Amino acid sequence: MNVAAPKPVELKVIQIGNSLGVTLPKEILAALKVGKGDILTISETPDGIRISPYDAEKARQFGLVRNIMKRRRDALRELAK
């Protein structure tokens, strides 16, 4: 399935109180399916920066994985050899 590449959007960095920020156009918010009060996550990828809606279930699962990796650090190092 071919999906059209999104049109680049230029955003201006503005002063918001003591911080800097950008405002997202309504088309971008609609594509993300988010609105006022929703939480976004920003992550670095090999291709650049990714913005996506916060997923509580995914965050819970990553927390579980981090906990297991911390507790089983030595076993995981041995398996990686």
Side-chain angles (χ1 to χ4, degrees):
M1 177 164 100
N2 290 336
V3 177
K7 180 182 170 190
V9 176
E10 293 181 4
L11 301 175
K12 183 177 180 180
V13 178
I14 59 172
Q15 185 84 36
I16 303 173
N18 290 328
S19 301
L20 298 176
V22 296
T23 56
L24 300 175
K26 63 182 177 183
E27 296 82 13
I28 300 293
L29 296 172
L32 289 169
K33 298 179 180 149
V34 296
K36 183 178 179 179
D38 288 338
I39 298 172
L40 299 174
T41 58
I42 300 175
S43 53
E44 190 172 357
T45 70
D47 296 328
I49 301 295
R50 177 183 202 156
I51 300 175
S52 54
Y54 176 77
D55 184 337
E57 177 59 19
K58 191 182 294 183
R60 184 189 71 79
Q61 291 173 1
F62 280 130
L64 293 172
V65 170
R66 271 192 234 93
N67 188 5
I68 291 168
M69 290 174 66
K70 185 176 180 181
R71 287 185 293 131
R72 305 290 185 215
R73 180 180 13 193
D74 294 335
L76 290 170
R77 282 189 183 138
E78 284 298 315
L79 289 170
K81 291 182 181 181

